[in-house]
Amino acid sequence: MTNMIKSIPRPLVTTNQWVIVLSVVFTWLTGKEWILLIPFVSGLLGLLFQFNPIMRVAKLFLTKDINAYVPEDWEQQKFNQTIAVICLGLGYSGFLFNIDLLGYIFTAMVGIAASVALLGFCIGCFILFQWKQFQYRRTQH
């Protein structure tokens, strides 16, 4: 029996990251905080029901067999999506309740993290790795 690791094709992850970045930018440019609901609700649906509408639509545009793409670890992406959903939710709430500083801080955090991930460094992956290292070191004492 082979050990199958659950994964997500990289183009779907990349599309999700672009939607986050563009939503933050368009929210800042237009002042329309509802735009943040697009990646927020999509990410929340992905976490709760394993149905991310952004990725589902992007999957329609894949030109190769789904297994032909570079895989992204499902558990790692779930961790990253959790952080993104929390930041988007707090950012949206900040703008909604006229606490703009809160809105800008949290949307900047998620926007920067998604932008950096598009450039090749995953901040969420680094955080999760450091957390696992911390947990491991605690068990060694």
Side-chain angles (χ1 to χ4, degrees):
M1 186 165 123
T2 59
N3 184 12
M4 295 292 292
I5 296 175
K6 201 170 179 182
S7 65
I8 303 169
R10 183 173 287 164
L12 302 184
V13 174
T14 301
T15 300
N16 195 56
Q17 292 163 338
W18 271 112
V19 169
I20 291 170
V21 170
L22 293 173
S23 295
V24 168
V25 169
F26 289 147
T27 296
W28 287 2
L29 292 175
T30 66
K32 308 289 184 197
E33 68 273 351
W34 66 263
I35 297 170
L36 295 172
L37 292 176
I38 297 166
F40 174 76
V41 170
S42 190
L44 194 58
L45 288 171
L47 291 172
L48 297 176
F49 304 108
Q50 287 74 52
F51 178 82
N52 181 315
I54 293 167
M55 290 188 183
R56 188 59 58 105
V57 170
K59 189 176 181 181
L60 298 173
F61 295 94
L62 296 180
T63 57
K64 300 184 252 181
D65 177 70
I66 199 151
N67 296 314
Y69 294 96
V70 174
E72 295 284 347
D73 180 64
W74 187 84
E75 286 295 329
Q76 178 64 64
Q77 293 309 313
K78 183 178 175 185
F79 179 80
N80 296 343
Q81 189 72 341
T82 300
I83 295 171
V85 165
I86 290 168
C87 288
L88 288 163
L90 289 171
Y92 174 74
S93 298
F95 289 130
L96 188 64
F97 295 111
N98 294 315
I99 310 170
D100 288 353
L101 181 60
L102 184 73
Y104 283 114
I105 288 171
F106 282 101
T107 57
M109 287 171 44
V110 72
I112 290 168
S115 297
V116 170
L118 288 167
L119 295 173
F121 181 76
C122 176
I123 294 170
C125 302
F126 179 77
I127 292 169
L128 184 59
F129 175 76
Q130 293 302 320
W131 175 248
K132 287 184 177 191
Q133 289 291 308
F134 171 76
Q135 289 178 316
Y136 174 76
R137 284 191 297 272
R138 270 194 9 202
T139 65
Q140 300 306 306
H141 292 104

